[in-house]
Amino acid sequence: MPDPVTAPLHVLVAEDEALAAMALEDFLSRKGYRVTLAQDGQEGLERYSADPADLVITDLRMPRMDGRALIRELRTQAAGLPILVMTGFLSMEAGEDDLTSDRWQPLVVLRKPVSPQVILDTLASLAQAAKLRPA
């Protein structure tokens, strides 16, 4: 069994743009993360159930199950799961699905395009806040 302190953090990436997903997988793997890809929210939920991730990166607009539905489902399984939303479209309407509300935390929303360094820094910040690694 891997040592939880030295084992790579597991990141689930739910992204329907295949090239973007593969580029993110390559980048994060080179930075020491273990990465699992999903083409949409439904596949992301299935992959999370089979092999829970430490952190999740998701798009909002995806086929079958969108990012908001994925986040809602993940929150029922792991309320404190750190989530990074990367999207080209974001409606900041108030209400139950308002991603800025406390019920979604810990969650960070970044508007695409996002630089790889910002993604890396955001994941590190989420991991530290969730105490996934000693400070």
Side-chain angles (χ1 to χ4, degrees):
M1 179 173 220
D3 177 357
V5 174
T6 59
L9 289 177
H10 180 201
V11 180
L12 171 65
V13 177
E15 170 62 70
D16 62 325
E17 295 178 31
L19 290 176
M22 289 185 296
L24 193 53
E25 177 185 31
D26 181 59
F27 174 73
L28 292 175
S29 294
R30 284 187 284 115
K31 296 299 181 180
Y33 289 91
R34 181 168 70 91
V35 181
T36 299
L37 296 181
Q39 295 179 7
D40 56 44
Q42 183 63 44
E43 184 180 351
L45 190 59
E46 292 165 4
R47 291 189 182 263
Y48 183 85
S49 295
D51 184 13
D54 299 304
L55 302 148
V56 172
I57 298 175
T58 185
D59 193 358
L60 287 183
R61 287 190 163 184
M62 296 180 288
R64 293 203 304 161
M65 178 188 285
D66 70 9
R68 281 187 167 89
L70 173 61
I71 293 166
R72 276 194 300 274
E73 291 297 322
L74 289 172
R75 286 289 183 246
T76 66
Q77 295 181 37
L81 178 66
I83 298 174
L84 169 57
V85 175
M86 295 192 320
T87 185
F89 172 83
L90 183 61
S91 167
M92 295 303 284
E93 299 170 12
E96 185 178 320
D97 279 351
D98 178 8
L99 294 177
T100 62
S101 76
D102 287 343
R103 82 183 278 261
W104 296 104
Q105 301 309 311
L107 182 139
V108 173
V109 179
L110 299 175
R111 188 177 302 273
K112 290 178 182 176
V114 182
S115 81
Q117 189 59 51
V118 169
I119 295 168
L120 197 60
D121 293 345
T122 303
L123 287 178
S125 176
L126 282 168
Q128 185 175 16
K131 298 183 179 9
L132 295 174
R133 287 288 189 260

